[in-house]
Amino acid sequence: MADQYRKLHIVVFPWLAFGHMLPALNFSFLIARKGHKISFLSTSRNIDRLPKLPPDLEKFVTFVEFSLPRNQNLPENAEAASDIPDEKVKYLQLAYDGLKEPIEEFLQKTSPDWVFHDYVPYWLPSIASKLEINTAFLSTFNASTLGYLGPASNLNGTEDSGRKKVEDFTVKPEWVPFHTAIYPKYFEVVRNAIAITGSEESVADFYRCACCIESCDIIAVRSCFEFEPEWLKLLEELHQKPIIPIGLIPITDEFATSISNNTNASNWSFIKEWLDKQKKGSVVYISFGSEAKLNQADLTEIALGIEFSGFPFFWVLKMKRGDGDNDKIQLPHFFEDRTKDRGMVYTSWAPQLQILNHESVGGFFTHCGWSSIVEALQFGKPMILFPFAGDQPLNSRMLEEKKLGFPVPRDEFDGSFTMNSVSDSLKLIMTGEEGNIYRDRVREMNRVLFDHGVQDHYVENLLAFLQNYKKIQVGISDQRQNS
């Protein structure tokens, strides 16, 4: 039993996107609360932008800063995906790959018990293995997304996945034995093509993910049995290695305070004053995350749809992605003048957690990032779905399947939509009789997923596994030698 209480040193190394860094840091705080040592690795500018450590965790969590190698195709100070347009993310990945040697030196010097890594550093598991350090693929994707991606041998091309044309990606994978509609549409596959094929400059996301899955010791999934039992079981069958759900990692009050203290949170009083004036459950909160930026055509249709719906709204609108983004977009002429009595457009950082938790907010118009979905469920808000890229289309299908959100209807092939489809979707979720099932399901799921102790159970289960892992492996090895 002694091993069960052994304190661990765990390295956490997320991808350079806030949708990955923030849940990884929140996860680190939960582990540190149990008395384990965390080394959180990232680049200097990102660490400056992350929440500060609570005083009582300073002896358990250490931020380890690395200088991001320069890449001539990246703007100066671009260290996160939100700092750059989509087409430059591949150069950020190349710069990230340049951290290979300093990361190896750090691991050799510190000899941690475990490294929890994201899907991008496909080179990291082999380094850790050479140094006899255990590795966990820390999946900030949910189980259904990993299940759709399939076996590592299919992702890295060593076996034929049967996916040769765009249409092959738009159906239920052959390895999924149960009924599901969690797969992307034609236009979503086309928009994600570089993740599948890669480019001349950078390795494909599919290949990166495959290497991480294939070479890690365990897969730690940001999910839970209460939400995706069938998908978690499928992952065990696909990968033949331990699949450890770590819970949804909801934002704690402490972590929310840490975020607010490191951002422009002084505006919350102004936002709260506006929300306080609105009727309970009447406001549509609109945010498409830290990275997603609308093109002009989509922005115009969404704005007109919001206006035509007649609902009060609070819209956090990203107008550009970093200093290197020269693609200007603008709201329809006089939109803000016409809606000033019932809506607000906010173009800087806004405290999403506090907004979602406000009683005047009745629905969330979202890009379907997994962190945003967890926050919506945490505060019991039904969702209007408008996915962009990455895992977002799969998340959207999952929410549709579970009746937790309703998608804005779009053309299957080009992704086009109209202001009327936006307006109708908002009406359905906010007040429509057909929306009752979504509002009821979100409240039901909120009670199940965020019951006191659920998240702590998953953390305790993970730690028990990590603490006993080496003993289990040694036991297996001894058995083989004796047989």
Side-chain angles (χ1 to χ4, degrees), residues 204-225:
D205 286 356
F206 271 34
Y207 183 82
R208 291 176 182 272
C209 190
C211 292
C212 289
I213 289 173
E214 200 165 39
S215 302
C216 70
D217 293 300
I218 70 170
I219 301 173
V221 187
R222 189 186 182 190
S223 187
C224 60
F225 289 112

Side-chain angles (χ1 to χ4, degrees), residues 80-286:
S82 57
D83 297 331
I84 49 177
D86 282 335
E87 62 270 15
K88 290 186 178 290
V89 169
K90 60 187 176 184
Y91 301 119
L92 185 64
Q93 289 182 338
L94 286 173
Y96 185 77
D97 291 341
L99 294 172
K100 178 179 179 179
E101 288 188 10
I103 295 293
E104 182 172 5
E105 291 175 8
F106 174 81
L107 295 178
Q108 193 165 19
K109 180 181 177 181
T110 57
S111 298
D113 297 291
W114 284 87
V115 176
F116 277 64
H117 59 84
D118 218 317
Y119 78 97
V120 179
Y122 65 104
W123 36 265
L124 184 51
S126 61
I127 291 174
S129 178
K130 181 177 66 175
L131 298 173
E132 298 185 341
I133 299 170
N134 297 317
T135 56
F137 169 35
L138 179 58
S139 174
T140 53
F141 308 121
N142 55 38
S144 57
T145 292
L146 291 183
Y148 168 81
L149 292 177
S153 56
N154 286 350
L155 285 172
N156 63 20
T158 56
E159 288 187 14
D160 184 6
S161 67
R163 293 169 165 174
K164 301 183 184 303
K165 308 185 298 295
V166 171
E167 292 84 356
D168 297 333
F169 290 87
T170 64
V171 295
K172 182 173 77 84
E174 61 182 15
W175 52 81
V176 179
F178 46 84
H179 174 75
T180 183
I182 300 179
Y183 43 81
K185 299 177 181 178
Y186 186 95
F187 77 92
E188 293 165 336
V189 177
V190 171
R191 291 182 180 182
N192 268 335
I194 193 171
I196 301 169
T197 63
S199 65
E200 292 182 1
E201 297 99 335
S202 183
V203 178
D205 286 356
F206 271 34
Y207 183 82
R208 291 176 182 272
C209 190
C211 292
C212 289
I213 289 173
E214 200 165 39
S215 302
C216 70
D217 293 300
I218 70 170
I219 301 173
V221 187
R222 189 186 182 190
S223 187
C224 60
F225 289 112
E226 291 82 359
F227 196 66
E228 302 181 289
E230 71 278 24
W231 289 102
L232 287 165
K233 181 181 178 182
L234 175 63
L235 291 181
E236 290 183 344
E237 296 169 358
L238 290 178
H239 301 302
Q240 296 295 302
K241 63 178 59 183
I243 306 296
I244 313 294
I246 57 175
L248 298 185
I249 317 293
I251 298 293
T252 61
D253 291 340
E254 175 190 65
F255 195 75
T257 300
S258 298
I259 294 174
S260 298
N261 289 342
N262 202 38
T263 50
N264 189 18
S266 60
N267 287 338
W268 168 236
S269 58
F270 166 72
I271 296 170
K272 183 178 183 300
E273 182 180 355
W274 185 87
L275 290 171
D276 286 344
K277 295 176 182 177
Q278 313 305 317
K279 293 180 180 179
K280 183 178 179 180
S282 67
V283 176
V284 180
Y285 171 56
I286 307 153

Side-chain angles (χ1 to χ4, degrees), residues 268 271 274-275 281-290 306 311-317 344 346 348-358 360-367 372 375-376 379 381-385 426 429-430:
W268 168 236
I271 296 170
W274 185 87
L275 290 171
S282 67
V283 176
V284 180
Y285 171 56
I286 307 153
S287 176
F288 301 129
S290 59
I306 292 168
F311 292 110
F313 65 89
F314 188 92
W315 189 357
V316 181
L317 179 59
M344 182 178 294
Y346 206 73
S348 59
W349 181 88
Q352 177 160 295
L353 295 166
Q354 288 95 323
I355 294 171
L356 284 171
N357 196 28
H358 198 281
S360 71
V361 174
F364 182 17
F365 195 178
T366 175
H367 66 308
S372 288
E375 290 165 16
F379 297 113
K381 309 299 181 183
M383 288 160 274
I384 303 96
L385 313 174
L426 293 175
I429 284 295
M430 293 296 289

Side-chain angles (χ1 to χ4, degrees), residues 377-431:
L377 295 174
Q378 184 176 352
F379 297 113
K381 309 299 181 183
M383 288 160 274
I384 303 96
L385 313 174
F386 193 85
F388 284 71
D391 61 327
Q392 296 161 17
L394 300 174
N395 293 340
S396 177
R397 300 303 106 72
M398 177 264 295
L399 292 171
E400 290 178 59
E401 197 165 88
K402 294 181 179 292
K403 299 296 182 184
L404 297 168
F406 183 81
V408 173
R410 306 177 70 174
D411 184 274
E412 297 272 338
F413 289 94
D414 64 15
S416 61
F417 61 98
T418 67
M419 59 176 280
N420 289 326
S421 61
V422 172
S423 177
D424 291 345
S425 301
L426 293 175
K427 290 175 181 176
L428 186 148
I429 284 295
M430 293 296 289
T431 58

Side-chain angles (χ1 to χ4, degrees), residues 280-323:
K280 183 178 179 180
S282 67
V283 176
V284 180
Y285 171 56
I286 307 153
S287 176
F288 301 129
S290 59
E291 296 176 28
K293 177 191 166 187
L294 294 161
N295 62 38
Q296 184 60 61
D298 289 354
L299 173 60
T300 298
E301 291 298 324
I302 285 177
L304 294 176
I306 292 168
E307 180 181 357
F308 188 57
S309 76
F311 292 110
F313 65 89
F314 188 92
W315 189 357
V316 181
L317 179 59
K318 192 174 187 70
M319 301 298 284
K320 63 183 301 185
R321 283 182 60 168
D323 295 335

